[in-house]
Amino acid sequence: MRPFRYERADEVSAAVTTLVREPEAAYLAGGTNLVDLMRLEVMTPEVLIDVRRLTSDRIEELPDGGLWIGAAVTGSDLAADLRVRRRYPVLSQALLSGASGQLRNLATTGGNLLQRTRCPYFQNVTTPCNKRDPGSGCSALEGYQRDMAILGASPACVATHPSDMAVALAALDAVVTVAGPDAERRIPLTELHRLPDTTPERDTVLERGELITGVELPPPHGAARSRYRKVRDRASYAFALVSVAAALEVAGGSVRDVRIALGGVAHKPWRAATAEAVLHGAPATRESFMDAAAAELSAARPLPGNAFKVPLARNTMVSTLLELLEEAR
C-alpha cells in the first residue's frame, strides 16, 4: 500500500472543500472496499478524508410514511431495523445475503452504494482494464467472462456492479441525497450509477466532491410483499451471478403493481422497466411472468462465457414472482 495522508473533517462542507482541492483525495467511511483496493494499488489516493462521523447513523421516519437512512448507518443496523424488516423486507434480505456479519458491522449505507466492481481484471493491475486505466482495453472480452454483464455493456467494459443493497433500493424507488460544492441534490437510485458506454472509469453520476448523506425510501405501499433472491456459486457470501429484487401487488387475479430490479447482470443495478410494463394489468400467472422476463431479456447481449445468465435471470425472475404471488393468495 502506498503512503497516504489521513484527515478527519469537522463538517460536511469542509470535507467537500478538501476533496475538491485535493485531486488525489478520496472519502473514507467503513473502508471495506476502498482499503482492499488500496492494498492492491488499484486505487492510490494521496489523501483520505474520514467522513464516517459527518453523516447520520440513524434511520428516521419521514412525514409521508417512508424512511430516511443516514449514509453512516451500517449494513447490520439497517438489516436488523424492525421497520425495514416489516415494510421493506427485500432490503433486509439483500443486506443479509451480501456480506458477513463482520463486514456488515463496518460497511456503511453510503459506501455500499459506491462499491467498485469485483471484476478480476479491474483488481489486477498487471492486466488491461479500461475502468482502471482508460484506453488500455477490456481483458474480459477475450478472457474470463462468467461473472460479466449481459445487459447494458459496451466494447469498453463488461463488468458488473457488486452491491446487493443497491439492487433492492432500485426496486424500491429509493432516492439518494447528496451534498456537493455547489448545492445539495436528490438523485433517484436508478439514475445514480452509470452504464459504461465509452467512459467506464466513471461508476456514478456524482461530481467531484459530492458526498452521499442519506437515502430516502418512499412509503412502502406494495413493498411489504417483496423478496430478494440471489443466485451465486456458493452460499458463503459470494457475489451474485444473478439476483432479483421484486415487489408484487395483485388484485382480482391481475397485477396491480410490480417492481423488479436485477443484479449481477449489468454495470449498474438494472431496473426491469420493460418487464414491469408487460405485467401491469396482466393476469398474475406463470405465463405472464415468463412473457415479462422474456421481454426484459430480449436486450441481453451475453458473451460466450456467460450465456447461461440469460435463462438463469429469466428463471430467477419468474420463480421470485411466483413466490410473491403465492404469498398474496
Side-chain angles (χ1 to χ4, degrees):
M1 183 183 291
R2 298 185 186 181
F4 60 89
R5 188 173 83 250
Y6 171 87
E7 292 190 9
R8 180 178 291 172
D10 295 327
E11 54 186 22
V12 170
S13 60
V16 170
T17 299
T18 301
L19 195 76
V20 171
R21 184 181 68 240
E22 298 279 356
E24 299 299 326
Y27 290 135
L28 172 71
T32 55
N33 184 210
L34 174 60
V35 173
D36 284 345
L37 293 176
M38 290 174 65
R39 288 174 176 149
L40 295 170
E41 296 193 356
V42 173
M43 296 182 68
T44 56
E46 296 177 359
V47 183
L48 289 185
I49 306 166
D50 192 332
V51 297
R52 189 175 186 115
R53 292 173 177 82
L54 296 185
T55 56
S56 174
D57 63 356
R58 300 184 62 183
I59 303 169
E60 301 177 3
E61 296 279 351
L62 292 173
D64 63 0
L67 290 178
W68 186 80
I69 304 162
V73 173
T74 66
S76 290
D77 287 345
L78 186 56
D81 188 272
L82 189 58
R83 294 163 295 184
V84 173
R85 291 168 59 192
R86 286 178 174 171
R87 301 184 207 172
Y88 311 94
V90 64
L91 177 55
S92 181
Q93 293 165 12
L95 285 158
L96 292 173
S97 74
S100 67
Q102 294 92 329
L103 286 173
R104 290 197 306 271
N105 288 341
L106 189 60
T108 63
T109 297
N112 190 315
L113 293 175
L114 299 179
Q115 289 184 74
R116 307 212 68 189
T117 184
R118 270 32 176 217
C119 174
Y121 301 108
F122 172 71
Q123 294 187 319
N124 183 351
V125 296
T126 68
T127 59
C129 170
N130 287 320
K131 180 176 283 295
R132 176 172 32 79
D133 183 15
S136 63
C138 176
S139 295
L141 292 177
E142 300 296 334
Y144 178 79
Q145 300 171 344
R146 180 175 173 79
D147 298 329
M148 303 305 165
I150 58 173
L151 291 165
S154 76
C157 182
V158 293
T160 55
H161 193 270
S163 173
D164 294 284
M165 183 191 77
V167 178
L169 292 176
L172 292 172
D173 293 318
V175 175
V176 179
T177 59
V178 173
D182 299 320
E184 296 183 349
R185 61 175 177 147
R186 300 169 72 252
I187 307 171
L189 192 283
T190 52
E191 298 175 15
L192 175 66
H193 301 95
R194 297 178 65 256
L195 293 177
D197 197 28
T198 59
T199 54
E201 67 275 13
R202 289 197 62 197
D203 294 336
T204 71
V205 299
L206 294 180
E207 301 295 337
R208 181 70 183 170
E210 287 191 315
L211 173 67
I212 292 176
T213 56
V215 175
E216 297 175 8
L217 291 179
H221 300 305
R225 184 172 292 112
S226 59
R227 184 178 295 267
Y228 187 76
R229 173 171 283 195
K230 180 177 181 178
V231 182
R232 47 192 168 181
D233 282 327
R234 64 181 190 278
S236 180
Y237 307 114
F239 294 99
L241 291 169
V242 167
S243 65
V244 174
L248 180 69
E249 284 188 82
V250 176
S254 297
V255 176
R256 181 165 65 183
D257 189 25
V258 62
R259 281 170 273 173
I260 307 168
L262 306 178
V265 297
H267 196 258
K268 61 181 287 184
W270 187 269
R271 183 67 181 260
T274 300
E276 292 175 357
V278 170
L279 285 174
H280 275 290
T285 62
R286 175 187 289 272
E287 290 73 22
S288 294
F289 299 159
M290 289 288 290
D291 289 344
E296 187 65 47
L297 293 164
S298 65
R301 298 295 181 268
L303 298 163
N306 68 0
F308 71 93
K309 280 193 176 187
V310 177
L312 182 62
R314 179 194 65 223
N315 294 341
T316 305
M317 194 186 311
V318 171
S319 62
T320 304
L321 291 169
L322 285 172
E323 288 178 1
L324 290 171
L325 177 62
E326 187 63 28
E327 288 180 13
R329 289 173 173 165

